[in-house]
Amino acid sequence: MMIDAAETPWYDDIVIPALLRHARSTYGRAMRGSLADAGYDDIPANGLYIIGGLALGDGGVPIGQLVRDLGITKQAAGQLVDALVLRGYLDRQADPADRRKLIVTLTERGRAAAEAQTAGRNRIDAELLAAVGQDDISAARRTLGALIEIGRRDREQLE
């Protein structure tokens, strides 16, 4: 969509947190649609982050890390993991190095769901690239990275 130079784009009047929320929803709907099309329509809301995050990693993740990464309580993380284990997406084992910690990994079903989720994300990425080009995507990544660093710095100052 071309914008007249004299016309102010609609998004210039929207606060950044609202833009981020709606942009995130675009990805979420695409990933949920791909998951549903592939028969994985029983993943709880935050389950997308766990499955996607585990798929990007190289092994299991301690539940304590999920709590920190998702910004949810230990109880909520435990309930989410329980649901994903019961539905066959995750396996939960004691950490061999510290039996008090639990490690979660993707099952075969979880890896298949992650592939479907990735297909949805890739579709939006391709549409975005076609709409704005690589330079704008790189600028957006730099901007989001700076925002994340501000958050990390602020969080460290509070600790």
Side-chain angles (χ1 to χ4, degrees), residues 27 30-31 115-128:
Y27 275 101
M31 290 186 289
E115 288 177 19
Q117 185 175 327
T118 298
R121 187 188 72 235
N122 287 344
R123 182 180 63 78
I124 297 300
D125 284 347
E127 288 184 40
L128 184 60

Side-chain angles (χ1 to χ4, degrees), residues 40-105:
Y40 306 110
D41 59 352
D42 61 343
I43 298 173
N46 281 335
L48 291 178
Y49 300 106
I50 292 178
I51 290 171
L54 287 171
L56 293 174
D58 58 355
V61 173
I63 291 179
Q65 182 179 333
L66 296 177
V67 170
R68 287 188 303 277
D69 291 350
L70 290 174
I72 59 177
T73 66
K74 192 174 188 176
Q75 180 181 7
Q79 290 171 346
L80 182 57
V81 167
D82 287 346
L84 292 168
V85 167
L86 285 172
R87 295 172 188 173
Y89 294 102
L90 298 182
D91 185 33
R92 175 180 40 210
Q93 301 288 327
D95 184 342
D98 184 347
R99 306 289 297 163
R100 295 170 296 173
K101 293 182 183 178
L102 293 174
I103 301 292
V104 292
T105 56

